[in-house]
């Protein structure tokens, strides 16, 4: 007999936003499986959470690894209620004229193909039950240019497009598909390292991103996880096909403090009347 607690699979769950999602779902009573290439961190996190967690080393660009991850969830808990496609990398940097084809293809495999593989595997097990939720982690870089490297931005835009397209199909099977678009979040992806050095590097990066968005700070992984958890649950039962920005107001417009002087003066003068 399957346990009545809902189940969730999170990719890239050993650190950053993925780790925050694993913790948030576990605290909310979910049975959480998660995959990552960081085997030591993943195993330690699963041990910390206890019996409701299952870690599996996983290459998200691998068709076989994704199938094995979903199979492990079904063998352990007999169903999959939610998939969080989170795993990603910053990918190749630099001008478009200098990007090697092999680095472009490698980045696409992790950032974009993994989301396709995840949605396909999730649909195969969710459709017979006519129930489920898929949450893809996209980015503000997929909503507008200038917020990330070229290939990363293009892949995240593709994730948003796939989210909306697949949502239209799977809604008829009772499955909701949404995306969360984080802004500047305090995670290792901004620092280029995943070991303990990332905290030191983040301390140097943080002040420079203070004015990047109207809310004068970087976001926290837990704030993204809260949005993901909401989209996965019954409170969001009428929400599908959406790309929700959690970005401190970044995509809404220019911070007031950075508005051209004449606009500030106009508003102040109008207020003083």
């Amino acid at each position: 007999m399957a346990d009545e607690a809902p189940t969730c699979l999170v990719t890239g769950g050993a650190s950053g936003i993925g780790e925050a999602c694993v913790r948030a779902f576990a605290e909310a009573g979910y049975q959480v499986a998660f995959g990552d290439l960081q085997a030591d961190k993943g195993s330690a996190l699963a041990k910390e959470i206890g019996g409701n967690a299952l870690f599996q080393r996983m290459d998200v660009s691998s068709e076989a690894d994704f199938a094995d991850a979903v199979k492990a969830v079904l063998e352990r808990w007999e169903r999959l209620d939610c998939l969080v496609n989170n795993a990603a990398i910053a990918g190749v940097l630099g001008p478009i004229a200098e990007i090697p084809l092999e680095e472009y293809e490698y980045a696409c495999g992790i950032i974009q193909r993994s989301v396709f593989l995840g949605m396909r595997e999730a649909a195969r097990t969710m459709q017979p039950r006519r129930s489920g939720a898929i949450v893809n982690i996209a980015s503000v870089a997929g909503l507008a240019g200038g917020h990330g490297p070229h290939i990363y931005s293009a892949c995240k835009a593709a994730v948003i497009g796939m989210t909306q397209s697949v949502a239209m199909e799977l809604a008829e099977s009772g499955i909701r598909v949404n995306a969360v678009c984080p802004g500047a979040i305090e995670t290792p992806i901004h620092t280029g390292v995943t070991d303990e050095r990332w905290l030191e590097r983040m301390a140097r990066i943080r002040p420079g991103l203070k004015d990047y968005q109207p809310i004068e700070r970087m976001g926290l992984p837990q704030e993204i996880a809260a949005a993901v958890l909401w989209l996965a649950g019954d409170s969001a039962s009428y929400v599908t096909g959406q790309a929700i920005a959690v970005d401190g107001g970044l995509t809404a417009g220019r911070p007031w403090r950075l508005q051209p002087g004449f606009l500030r003066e106009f508003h102040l003068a109008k207020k003083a009347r």
Side-chain angles (χ1 to χ4, degrees), residues 84-134:
V84 180
N85 275 314
N86 165 74
I89 57 172
V92 58
L93 309 177
I96 191 66
E98 298 175 8
I99 294 175
L101 177 60
E102 59 271 20
E103 292 192 33
Y104 161 80
E105 292 176 337
Y106 176 72
C108 287
I110 296 176
I111 305 170
Q112 181 183 354
R113 183 172 68 209
S114 64
V115 174
F116 156 70
L117 292 173
M119 288 198 290
R120 187 182 68 176
E121 291 299 324
R124 288 172 173 174
T125 185
M126 291 176 178
Q127 281 183 305
R129 297 183 61 245
R130 300 191 61 79
S131 175
I134 298 171

Side-chain angles (χ1 to χ4, degrees), residues 20-236:
C21 287
V22 169
R23 292 183 182 278
F25 276 90
E27 290 170 5
Y30 280 72
Q31 299 174 120
V32 187
F34 63 104
D36 205 299
L37 286 176
Q38 301 176 85
D40 290 344
K41 287 185 177 181
S43 297
L45 179 58
K47 183 177 180 181
E48 178 187 340
I49 292 173
N52 285 339
L54 171 66
F55 171 72
Q56 185 162 322
R57 189 180 185 280
M58 178 184 184
D59 175 359
V60 292
S61 67
S62 165
E63 184 176 24
D65 277 16
F66 235 122
D68 287 345
V70 172
K71 181 181 178 181
V73 173
L74 298 178
E75 288 178 346
R76 175 90 172 252
W77 296 307
E78 299 184 18
R79 72 177 201 255
L80 176 63
D81 296 300
C82 176
L83 168 67
V84 180
N85 275 314
N86 165 74
I89 57 172
V92 58
L93 309 177
I96 191 66
E98 298 175 8
I99 294 175
L101 177 60
E102 59 271 20
E103 292 192 33
Y104 161 80
E105 292 176 337
Y106 176 72
C108 287
I110 296 176
I111 305 170
Q112 181 183 354
R113 183 172 68 209
S114 64
V115 174
F116 156 70
L117 292 173
M119 288 198 290
R120 187 182 68 176
E121 291 299 324
R124 288 172 173 174
T125 185
M126 291 176 178
Q127 281 183 305
R129 297 183 61 245
R130 300 191 61 79
S131 175
I134 298 171
V135 184
N136 299 320
I137 304 300
S139 170
V140 294
L143 294 171
H147 296 306
H150 295 319
I151 310 309
Y152 178 87
S153 300
C155 288
K156 290 299 188 178
V159 168
I160 294 169
M162 290 171 67
T163 296
Q164 294 169 334
S165 183
V166 174
M168 299 303 98
E169 175 198 350
L170 296 186
E172 298 176 6
S173 297
I175 302 164
R176 297 179 299 103
V177 187
N178 292 287
V180 173
C181 301
I185 308 299
E186 293 194 14
T187 64
I189 199 170
H190 287 289
T191 67
V193 295
T194 56
D195 58 27
E196 64 277 0
R197 293 175 297 164
W198 87 269
L199 291 170
E200 179 184 347
R201 293 190 181 186
M202 181 54 65
R204 297 198 301 266
I205 293 169
R206 192 181 293 118
L209 289 173
K210 180 181 178 182
D211 282 330
Y212 194 51
Q213 57 280 311
I215 294 179
E216 297 180 76
R217 63 173 176 84
M218 295 182 72
L220 300 175
Q222 295 90 332
E223 292 171 307
I224 306 303
V228 173
L229 182 63
W230 176 73
L231 285 171
D234 291 340
S235 296

